[in-house]
Amino acid sequence: MSAFDVPAGGHLFLRAPNWVGDLVMATPVLEAAIADERWSKVSIGLRPHLRAVLAEGPLEPHLVPIEGGEDRVYRELAPDVAVLLSNSFGAALRAYRAGVPVRVGAALSSRGVLLTHRLVPPTWLGRRSPIPTAHLLRDVAALAGVLAPDLHPRLHFGASTAASARAVLDEVGIGAGKPFVVCCPGAAFGAAKLWPPERFAAALDAIHARTGAVGFLTGAPSEAAIVEAVARACTHPVRSAPPATRDLAHLKVWIHDARLLLVGDSGPRWYAAAFDTPCVSVMGPNLPELTATSLEFASIVRVEGLDCSPCLERACPLVHHACMRELGVDAVVAAAAEVLARVPAREVL
């Protein structure tokens, strides 16, 4: 079977990425798949906590939370083709073990032998060349004939979610029409991606002084300590989302409505890309090439010229954490001014 020989009326299963940012980057591919008339059924398998990212849009009827074992999901659905947008070895092993006839994915994590159709990323001098993740996702899907028309992320939210999220803003003193900056200072990947809380606070204070936009802090439950540390360090009346409201559904609305997103190198940056919200992202140990898409309204700020960067480690192996410690507030504030100048203020409420 070639990459484009699809069984008539076949069932396509797409194994979604496990990280928020990668999942949002995959949305052009996922929406292209459900619009592809060759398939009688399209299923999108993802971790349950990520369902809110894709909820309330065209993908929602196709979502299959992976609960109680991925092998069981494959056996129950019995797809004809599995497109693995997750690059883990385990994702390929489970599709192979379940006997999915066609298994499509990138030949990464030593899993090429488990795939029937594989994309081999380019290499240079024996090392993998960094290419944008969004490009890799698009090219893997293309092996199954799923052709995304563009790479612009797509996210959706409904009226009830919008009303709930905006009620939170009103509750903390950010009424309709009042400009605000969403700040997500945490990083699920690990400590290596964390910019010091006092610098996030100083940047928010400076942006407030220049624009009048107040800071609005949020993050995952595991990031509560850093969110509160930023709030304590701010000198202007920054607001924080109540802990019970800090979820991936409300976050869509808050970022959609914000004047600016100030964030580390983490998933919320891609929320901003989906809604064309201006964004400043501080980057430390990551390869900038991996996220070099959807930059029309984004500015990536990082320290150049470090011998140890990018290391791609979860914690700084040299302890000094220079890639973040040497990243100054002035550079971030200047990036915010520049990116805000690219797009006029929007009336969103």
Side-chain angles (χ1 to χ4, degrees), residues 49 51-56 155-169 171 180 182 184 216-219 241-258 261 268 271 275:
H49 75 281
R51 186 182 186 108
V53 178
L54 304 182
E56 300 183 290
L155 289 177
H156 309 268
F157 55 81
S160 62
T161 297
S164 177
R166 289 167 183 160
V168 172
L169 292 175
E171 176 187 334
F180 64 99
V182 170
C184 300
F216 178 71
L217 297 164
T218 188
T245 70
R246 297 175 187 174
D247 57 48
L248 292 170
H250 283 129
L251 185 63
K252 287 190 282 189
V253 183
W254 295 332
I255 291 178
H256 173 274
D257 288 2
L261 171 68
Y271 273 38
F275 296 124

Side-chain angles (χ1 to χ4, degrees), residues 284-311:
N286 201 9
L287 283 160
E289 294 87 351
L290 295 179
T291 61
T293 50
S294 300
L295 293 170
E296 295 85 354
F297 304 115
S299 181
I300 309 301
V301 186
R302 62 190 299 268
V303 178
E304 303 287 349
L306 293 175
D307 291 338
C308 58
S309 179
C311 69

Side-chain angles (χ1 to χ4, degrees), residues 149-245:
D150 59 68
L151 293 176
H152 193 285
R154 297 143 165 81
L155 289 177
H156 309 268
F157 55 81
S160 62
T161 297
S164 177
R166 289 167 183 160
V168 172
L169 292 175
D170 191 60
E171 176 187 334
V172 299
I174 302 176
K178 187 171 184 178
F180 64 99
V181 176
V182 170
C183 179
C184 300
F189 179 79
K193 285 191 175 185
L194 295 177
W195 201 37
E198 63 274 13
R199 297 193 189 177
F200 270 113
L204 287 172
D205 287 337
I207 294 168
H208 172 70
R210 292 188 180 198
T211 68
V214 300
F216 178 71
L217 297 164
T218 188
S222 61
E223 298 163 356
I226 188 172
V227 168
E228 298 314 312
V230 175
R232 287 193 303 270
C234 282
T235 59
H236 83 282
V238 69
R239 311 294 199 269
S240 295
T245 70

Side-chain angles (χ1 to χ4, degrees), residues 257-277:
D257 288 2
R259 186 70 185 93
L260 176 77
L261 171 68
L262 176 59
V263 67
D265 177 21
S266 60
R269 185 216 140 174
W270 298 98
Y271 273 38
F275 296 124
D276 290 338
T277 297

